[in-house]
Amino acid sequence: MTTALIKSLSILTKPIREAQLSHGQSTQTALVWALQRNLSELRQHMSGGEELEEARQLLEDVRRDITWICSDTDDLTWSFVQECLLLLICLARHLNRLLEAFHQNPTAPNPATPEAAPPLPPDVLSVAQQKTLGTVLQFVVTLGLCPYLAPGVGVALGLRSAFGAAVEGAVQQDVAPAGERRLLITTNVLLEVSALSSLATPVFTRHLGDIMAALCQLAYRPQHPEGDGTKSNKGLTVEEHKSCKEALNNLLGKVYQPIVIKELLVLQGGPKQASSGSRGGCAGGGGKVLTQAPPWLRRLCGQLLSDRLMQPQGVQAVVRAILEGTGAGGDSDWRKCDAVAKILAACPQQSLSAESYYSQVLELLHFKDKLTAQQFQRVATRAALILVKDRPEFAQRFLLFPLLSPLHRCAEGTGDDLSQDAVEEWELTRCIEDVYKICVVGNSPSEVLLKALADVISTLFSVFCFTKQNVSHLRTPCQEILIWFLSHSEHSVALSSLLKRLCGLLGEVSGVRHGFQFSPGSEGGARLTVREPISDEDDALYEKVHREQWRVQCLVQLLGEMKDSDLPGEFFLLLLQDLAAVAAEREEVEQEVDTSSMTLLELEQHLLGRVSGHGQRLALLQVLAIICEGLPYTLLLRKPTQVVGFIVSMLQRACVSLERGTDSPVESQTLSMGMGLVATLLSGAAELTADDYSSMGELLPHLDQISQKHPEPVIQELASDLRATIATHGAYRPKPVPKTATQHSTAHSPAQPAVHSSKTPPASTPSSRGLSRPQVSSPPISHPKHTTESGVTLEVKDFQTAVGIPDCGNSEPSSSKAFSEWLLEACDPDIPIRAVALRSLTRSVRDRDKEALQNKDKLLTLFLENLEHEDSFVYLSAIQGLAVLADSFPEQILQRLLGEYQTGATVGSPKRERSLETRLKVGEVLMRASRAMGDLAPHYGRPLIGVFLSSTRDEDSSVRASSLSNLGELCQRLNFSLGPLTQELSTCLTALIKMDKEAEVRRAAVHVIALVLRGLSDKTTQVLGDVLLELYRALKWVVRSDPDEVAVIHAQLALEELDDVMRRFIFPQQKLEKKIVVLP
């Protein structure tokens, strides 16, 4: 019967052939003629043979059951629609009966063919049948539903296609039944048909919007619309209105919500004043704008949309409805996201809980689907930022506090009544990722957002410090959030309280509640757990000090990432000001206190005050030391104003010393550096603007104080001249000012007094002499060639030249000193002078100075003697010099060094330790020489290999380890020249790995194998083919049996190198090459 019913439906929708159309016949006339012809053919078909008897019987039963059949209507289109509706009801009822019988008597599977597919349900239609059904539904909606919608309700037929205008003209609405009754009949039949799942799909996928528009009109259209005098609604009863409302609610509840929201937006119609440039939601027309919907429909759609929004997952459904199918990127995509964000930022008035609503907004940040996550996160971020901007108090209560609650819980409360995991890993990870998306990605700073973030910044910094100790995916988000917060906070607030609090200068603020700590999570994040108590007081104190120092180091690393910010330099200057204030209070001599007249409480408070003051000073010095060590000068002193601030801090400390009447080498050095920098700035080394001179006005009171109170007349005169130059903005420039740098950089002599105080004893400390003696080699500041690359910023070399600090690594030897003078100074007992002379002689050899090359034997003896020196500055300079000599004269120097390395101390030498140290230093020279050989290693390296192999049998383990280290550096450069020595090398290394008792020797032997494999690379199988298996077994033995963990790690690294080599050998990289061969 299903086939018969579908056949009947296909007869009704049979198209007209072009040959059957009369010439000049209009579309409307052709449509009416086609409908009349198809109805006649259907009657003839249904009165046919016995095979249609069952279908005719079912059709008669349906006619008797329904009451809405109007057989005497004069509208041909409605007669056509009635026949279509009757056949659709018959088809639905027939399929429903078949489906019930199928479920009541399921077909048992055939045991002979268990792999066969299960039988299809009887309501499944073929592709041709589905096509016929879709055509019938289109006719029903076009002729029986859309013409009876009120103006502005739904999309008019004229906006859909040109054929729609012909349909509207063919429909006769002034005959029975009434238009509203026809609309009700068509809608009820479509809903009845859609009750069957196989028929619901074609109904709702194509005609959902039209059915929703009909239900809205039938259920909610006012009885007497404005400007409409018809009686179209008077034919519907109250029960029918109520049933339409229930049907609409049921339909909206069971259909996919994004589709429902899309259709409701279309039903709302276009704007009140539609312009050609505005965006219309036309449903298929060629860019035509939707007509304006009536007021009652707009209000109804708005209410229904709000209801959809307040449902569970309603926010997600709204976003999907608007953004699905828009793609990723583009201006329109950004505008849509902003529009949706503005809608979501306003909580609907009928919402029962604003907190639950905004929790749905935050859930948009947690999508894992890559296709939709970016747009959803963009909408959520924009909605949050709009809410923070427009309604700050509301955002603080319902958005920011739930967002930051995991971080608040980390810092608040105690661990007495909490579980082992106070804050789970997923909570902390989600919180940090959400804050990163809203703050860093959104990048719209506001006072409310910064204030909310400031309350948890200590906890966030603690998480960052924890991630720096471990491998965690939270490190980068935490770092970006902290940098964003510091960059957008007011510098006065960030400097005075925030940074000082983070580094512990304002007391201990860990950001984590007492008794808890962060621990690694299973997913690479962090979780807050209870800290295990430490019974030993020394261990607890060590852990506390280590934790505070680590926080300071993490803060300095964080400031180092702020390359384009002035905050690091301003923080550094603020600490220098605090240091000057501490220096002003430090020298107060405490009088003897009569403890007998004090109570125990007063004495305890007195002692605690002294201890806390010392602790604050030590913490300040520690922070300054770490900053100076970890941050480059280009970040600390980016602007001339910061350079001036640096000078002010130095002169301020010098003035404190003058007020007390004390003098020390440190304070003299401070005053010397400050005066030298001021002279450098004013001597023309940098172009100064009016703003620079204005900032230098802070120096005037300190220079005035120095000119009046300093005991040296030269310093008083210099300070007075500098003060006059600054006060007149360079208009008055006395003669001593341009020459200040030259006077300052020369050595102490009767003709030219130094800047230091006359009270300083001549025999000062070695460090002060090291800063004063080499000043002869520094060029004067006023030299015309000494200019900075930029007109304002002063480089470090200018500072070093101004204060006389030698730059041994970069400065060239002065031409005023002869080679003989450098030789004499290399024997000077003063350590800095000797080290500078050794480095200058090294540079002369490297630069191929003629006199230095001629005296290479003297230099060799000099460098070897200085290897015995105890100071690292001296013997490291000698090591560098010997390495340069070996590179310049390898044949002679290497032989001498090999002899020193083999023999060590002379026979009967009482100082065995010094001899051992010397041999190790010579080994360092040989290692540097091996690195410098390059391609000449196969030529000059053969004697070295013999010495290194023989030294592996030395009785001292340090010499054996040193020999192996040098052997590895040399062997990785020998390439194919290593071939004849592989057996001897393999035997030596294997024996040491398995037999040596010292762990450092076994480590060195394993490391030699790793270096050889790394150096040979793809040539490993050719050079080490005979011993490769033996070396592999030795490495596996270390991994399995060696008790030393470091040796095991070295072995694993060597095995990884071997694995890479063998993979490239077995699976060579495929290369697509074209070879052109010229035939003879």
Side-chain angles (χ1 to χ4, degrees):
M1 186 190 297
T2 304
T3 306
L5 294 175
I6 295 296
K7 177 65 176 176
S8 302
L9 290 173
S10 64
I11 294 174
L12 277 178
T13 58
K14 183 179 180 181
I16 308 173
R17 297 179 181 178
E18 295 183 0
Q20 298 175 352
L21 293 176
S22 302
H23 181 70
Q25 190 178 12
S26 63
T27 306
Q28 179 179 339
T29 306
L31 175 62
V32 174
W33 181 82
L35 296 179
Q36 186 176 7
R37 189 205 62 177
N38 291 345
L39 285 173
S40 301
E41 290 187 6
L42 177 63
R43 295 189 186 99
Q44 294 178 3
H45 175 73
M46 294 302 296
S47 61
E50 297 180 357
E51 65 274 4
L52 298 176
E53 182 63 28
E54 188 177 359
R56 284 195 298 268
Q57 184 64 35
L58 179 60
L59 186 60
E60 292 299 327
D61 294 341
V62 172
R63 285 181 184 272
R64 286 194 301 269
D65 293 341
I66 61 177
T67 60
W68 46 265
I69 288 294
C70 184
S71 57
D72 56 349
T73 180
D74 296 333
D75 187 5
L76 182 63
T77 58
W78 180 244
S79 299
F80 179 83
V81 171
Q82 286 186 131
E83 294 296 331
C84 291
L85 295 178
L86 285 173
L87 291 175
L88 286 175
I89 293 175
C90 292
L91 180 63
R93 292 185 180 182
H94 172 65
L95 293 177
N96 194 20
R97 292 173 186 172
L98 294 177
L99 193 61
E100 289 178 357
F102 177 78
H103 289 310
Q104 290 177 0
N105 301 314
T107 304
N110 188 0
T113 57
E115 70 279 359
L120 291 175
D123 63 336
V124 176
L125 302 178
S126 64
V127 175
Q129 292 174 345
Q130 291 180 9
K131 183 178 180 180
T132 302
L133 180 62
T135 305
V136 174
L137 292 174
Q138 187 175 0
F139 270 99
V140 169
V141 171
T142 304
L143 297 175
L145 191 146
C146 292
Y148 309 109
L149 294 176
V153 179
V155 182
L157 288 175
L159 294 177
R160 303 188 187 191
S161 64
F163 183 72
V167 173
E168 291 177 346
V171 175
Q172 299 179 15
Q173 301 190 20
D174 53 349
V175 297
E180 203 72 14
R181 177 61 59 181
R182 298 182 184 183
L183 183 64
L184 177 63
I185 293 171
T186 305
T187 305
N188 287 337
V189 172
L190 291 176
L191 290 177
E192 181 182 352
V193 170
S194 64
L196 194 64
S197 60
S198 60
L199 301 181
T201 302
V203 172
F204 290 145
T205 53
R206 296 186 179 183
H207 309 291
L208 177 64
D210 296 324
I211 297 176
M212 290 174 56
L215 290 175
C216 290
Q217 178 173 326
L218 293 171
Y220 294 97
R221 185 184 182 189
Q223 294 293 329
H224 298 286
E226 297 180 2
D228 188 3
T230 63
K231 300 179 181 180
S232 57
N233 279 339
K234 293 186 178 180
L236 300 182
T237 62
V238 177
E239 289 77 9
E240 291 173 339
H241 282 290
K242 184 177 180 180
S243 64
C244 290
K245 292 180 181 179
E246 293 177 354
L248 178 62
N249 292 331
N250 292 335
L251 179 63
L252 296 180
K254 68 180 181 180
V255 179
Y256 183 54
Q257 292 302 300
I259 298 179
V260 172
I261 294 171
K262 284 183 181 180
E263 298 298 339
L264 289 175
L265 292 174
V266 174
L267 285 178
Q268 276 190 319
K272 294 183 179 180
Q273 296 179 352
S275 59
S276 60
S278 63
R279 177 188 177 273
C282 59
K288 297 181 180 180
V289 181
L290 288 176
T291 58
Q292 181 181 351
W296 65 268
L297 183 58
R298 291 199 301 270
R299 291 192 297 269
L300 174 62
C301 291
Q303 181 180 358
L304 293 177
L305 285 171
S306 298
D307 293 340
R308 301 303 103 195
L309 188 63
M310 295 313 303
Q311 288 182 351
Q313 306 297 327
V315 173
Q316 180 188 146
V318 171
V319 178
R320 285 187 182 276
I322 300 177
L323 297 182
E324 271 186 349
T326 59
D331 295 338
S332 61
D333 191 21
W334 280 100
R335 286 196 295 267
K336 285 184 179 181
C337 291
D338 289 342
V340 178
K342 291 178 182 178
I343 296 173
L344 298 182
C347 182
Q349 297 179 355
Q350 60 267 36
S351 175
L352 300 178
S353 174
E355 184 176 358
S356 62
Y357 171 76
Y358 285 111
S359 65
Q360 291 191 44
V361 177
L362 292 178
E363 283 296 324
L364 298 177
L365 296 170
H366 308 145
F367 270 80
K368 302 300 182 183
D369 185 11
K370 295 182 179 180
L371 297 177
T372 58
Q374 184 176 4
Q375 291 181 335
F376 278 48
Q377 292 171 8
R378 185 183 302 166
V379 170
T381 300
R382 288 296 303 157
L385 294 176
I386 291 173
L387 182 65
V388 169
K389 180 180 178 181
D390 296 342
R391 305 181 66 182
E393 296 181 357
F394 204 74
Q396 177 69 29
R397 179 181 176 185
F398 295 107
L399 186 68
L400 296 180
F401 182 77
L403 176 68
L404 302 173
S405 60
L407 293 176
H408 283 293
R409 286 160 49 202
C410 291
E412 298 172 357
T414 59
D416 298 335
D417 55 348
L418 294 177
S419 61
Q420 183 70 16
D421 289 341
V423 180
E424 296 289 345
E425 178 186 4
W426 68 269
E427 295 181 88
L428 201 58
T429 300
R430 175 173 290 188
C431 173
I432 293 175
E433 290 179 351
D434 291 349
V435 173
Y436 173 80
K437 294 169 185 175
I438 293 177
C439 296
V440 181
V441 179
N443 196 21
S444 180
S446 62
E447 183 179 356
V448 177
L449 191 59
L450 292 173
K451 183 179 179 182
L453 200 56
D455 297 337
V456 296
I457 201 66
S458 298
T459 305
L460 191 63
F461 182 70
S462 298
V463 178
F464 173 70
C465 295
F466 169 76
T467 58
K468 295 288 287 184
Q469 295 176 332
N470 305 275
V471 178
S472 175
H473 60 84
L474 296 179
R475 181 186 305 173
T476 300
C478 291
Q479 177 176 312
E480 295 295 331
I481 294 170
L482 291 170
I483 292 177
W484 180 86
F485 178 78
L486 294 176
S487 301
H488 292 90
S489 298
E490 295 183 4
H491 279 193
S492 58
V493 177
L495 290 171
S496 60
S497 60
L498 179 61
L499 291 178
K500 287 186 177 181
R501 187 170 79 248
L502 293 181
C503 62
L505 294 180
L506 298 181
E508 184 180 1
V509 181
S510 62
V512 182
R513 67 180 73 171
H514 180 70
F516 282 78
Q517 66 179 0
F518 289 112
S519 301
S522 58
E523 301 295 331
R527 57 192 178 96
L528 190 69
T529 58
V530 179
R531 177 184 298 168
E532 297 181 0
I534 301 176
S535 57
D536 191 356
E537 295 182 358
D538 293 338
D539 293 342
L541 179 61
Y542 172 77
E543 184 180 355
K544 177 183 177 182
V545 173
H546 174 71
R547 183 169 61 249
E548 293 176 354
Q549 187 175 6
W550 178 247
R551 288 176 64 89
V552 176
Q553 292 176 357
C554 292
L555 180 62
V556 171
Q557 294 177 10
L558 189 66
L559 293 176
E561 297 295 331
M562 304 176 68
K563 307 284 185 189
D564 300 326
S565 176
D566 297 334
L567 186 63
E570 294 179 3
F571 182 57
F572 175 65
L573 296 178
L574 179 64
L575 295 180
L576 289 179
Q577 295 176 6
D578 294 344
L579 182 62
V582 168
E585 302 173 357
R586 182 169 51 92
E587 296 295 336
E588 295 181 357
V589 179
E590 185 176 356
Q591 299 178 356
E592 292 292 335
V593 179
D594 187 8
T595 57
S596 60
S597 62
M598 299 175 63
T599 63
L600 291 177
L601 181 60
E602 292 176 350
L603 180 60
E604 182 181 4
Q605 291 177 352
H606 176 69
L607 295 177
L608 287 177
R610 293 181 57 188
V611 171
S612 63
H614 288 300
Q616 289 294 327
R617 287 193 289 270
L618 290 175
L620 177 60
L621 291 174
Q622 181 188 21
V623 174
L624 275 173
I626 296 177
I627 288 179
C628 293
E629 182 181 358
L631 297 181
Y633 75 96
T634 54
L635 188 61
L636 294 177
L637 303 176
R638 297 179 66 245
K639 301 188 301 185
T641 53
Q642 293 178 338
V643 177
V644 172
F646 178 64
I647 299 173
V648 169
S649 63
M650 290 190 295
L651 295 184
Q652 186 177 358
R653 292 198 301 272
C655 291
V656 171
S657 176
L658 291 176
E659 289 178 356
R660 296 197 187 94
T662 60
D663 193 11
S664 66
V666 176
E667 291 161 350
S668 299
Q669 293 285 343
T670 301
L671 179 60
S672 174
M673 181 177 291
M675 299 287 283
L677 289 178
V678 176
T680 303
L681 286 173
L682 298 177
S683 63
E687 251 183 67
L688 298 177
T689 62
D691 295 335
D692 298 333
Y693 277 110
S694 299
S695 63
M696 293 175 70
E698 302 178 10
L699 300 172
L700 295 178
H702 303 295
L703 290 174
D704 186 28
Q705 185 177 1
I706 293 173
S707 64
Q708 295 178 5
K709 296 185 177 181
H710 201 277
E712 284 287 340
V714 177
I715 301 299
Q716 293 181 2
E717 182 182 359
L718 176 60
S720 178
D721 292 338
L722 293 175
R723 181 176 178 275
T725 305
I726 296 173
T728 59
H729 287 200
Y732 171 74
R733 191 181 296 272
K735 293 182 180 180
V737 173
K739 299 180 180 180
T740 302
T742 306
Q743 295 176 356
H744 184 74
S745 61
T746 55
H748 297 275
S749 62
Q752 196 166 8
V755 177
H756 298 291
S757 173
S758 60
K759 296 181 180 180
T760 305
S764 57
T765 60
S767 60
S768 63
R769 292 199 306 268
L771 291 175
S772 60
R773 179 66 179 270
Q775 292 171 355
V776 180
S777 62
S778 300
I781 290 296
S782 58
H783 198 282
K785 292 184 180 180
H786 185 74
T787 56
T788 55
E789 294 179 0
S790 61
V792 179
T793 306
L794 207 62
E795 300 292 340
V796 160
K797 292 182 180 180
D798 301 333
F799 296 163
Q800 292 176 341
T801 308
V803 300
I805 300 177
D807 186 5
C808 303
N810 298 325
S811 61
E812 297 184 0
S814 174
S815 58
S816 60
K817 279 194 175 182
F819 179 79
S820 58
E821 296 181 10
W822 289 119
L823 286 177
L824 292 176
E825 290 190 357
C827 302
D828 196 289
D830 199 358
I831 293 175
I833 297 176
R834 174 182 290 194
V836 171
L838 291 175
R839 290 182 176 266
S840 299
L841 292 173
T842 302
R843 181 174 291 275
S844 299
V845 177
R846 184 185 293 116
D847 295 341
R848 312 296 294 180
D849 182 74
K850 184 178 180 181
E851 191 173 1
L853 297 179
Q854 292 176 354
N855 294 274
K856 62 179 182 299
D857 296 333
K858 294 182 180 179
L859 293 178
L860 176 60
T861 304
L862 180 65
F863 288 143
L864 288 174
E865 290 178 355
N866 281 279
L867 284 180
E868 299 284 346
H869 204 282
E870 297 177 351
D871 192 271
S872 60
F873 195 20
V874 175
Y875 71 72
L876 286 177
S877 301
I879 289 174
Q880 183 180 2
L882 288 172
V884 173
L885 273 178
D887 186 38
S888 301
F889 307 98
E891 295 183 354
Q892 298 118 2
I893 304 300
L894 287 178
Q895 292 297 329
R896 178 71 179 275
L897 293 177
L898 289 176
E900 294 288 337
Y901 187 68
Q902 276 185 302
T903 57
T906 58
V907 180
S909 176
K911 296 182 179 181
R912 176 64 182 171
E913 290 93 358
R914 292 294 298 276
S915 175
L916 174 61
E917 292 177 2
T918 304
R919 292 186 65 185
L920 295 178
K921 293 172 185 177
V922 174
E924 174 71 18
V925 175
L926 292 174
M927 184 183 67
R928 296 190 182 190
S930 301
R931 291 176 179 174
M933 286 181 184
D935 295 336
L936 294 177
H939 178 67
Y940 293 111
R942 295 298 293 271
L944 297 179
I945 292 181
V947 174
F948 293 153
L949 287 175
S950 63
S951 298
T952 56
R953 295 175 295 178
D954 194 274
E955 61 182 11
D956 193 281
S957 61
S958 299
V959 176
R960 296 199 301 271
S962 174
S963 302
L964 289 171
S965 178
N966 296 338
L967 187 63
E969 290 290 340
L970 182 60
C971 287
Q972 69 173 339
R973 292 169 172 80
L974 291 180
N975 295 329
F976 288 102
S977 300
L978 188 61
L981 304 173
T982 53
Q983 291 291 346
E984 186 177 358
L985 180 65
S986 174
T987 305
C988 175
L989 295 178
T990 306
L992 289 174
I993 288 173
K994 296 182 178 181
M995 305 300 294
D996 202 296
K997 298 181 180 180
E998 297 295 333
E1000 61 179 3
V1001 179
R1002 298 197 303 273
R1003 298 174 190 172
V1006 175
H1007 188 56
V1008 171
I1009 300 177
L1011 290 178
V1012 172
L1013 294 174
R1014 192 177 305 159
L1016 292 176
S1017 186
D1018 295 336
K1019 299 185 286 290
T1020 301
T1021 54
Q1022 303 177 44
V1023 179
L1024 300 179
D1026 297 335
V1027 299
L1028 198 56
L1029 180 60
E1030 184 179 353
L1031 295 177
Y1032 171 75
R1033 290 173 176 172
L1035 293 175
K1036 295 295 290 184
W1037 185 88
V1038 173
V1039 173
R1040 290 192 303 264
S1041 306
D1042 199 296
D1044 185 56
E1045 296 181 357
V1046 179
V1048 173
I1049 294 175
H1050 282 301
Q1052 291 174 347
L1053 293 176
L1055 288 172
E1056 291 179 3
E1057 293 285 345
L1058 183 58
D1059 181 69
D1060 294 339
V1061 170
M1062 297 309 298
R1063 285 180 182 273
R1064 291 195 299 268
F1065 176 73
I1066 299 173
F1067 307 105
Q1069 184 179 2
Q1070 299 295 329
K1071 295 182 180 179
L1072 299 178
E1073 297 180 350
K1074 291 184 179 181
K1075 294 184 178 181
I1076 300 176
V1077 179
V1078 180
L1079 298 177

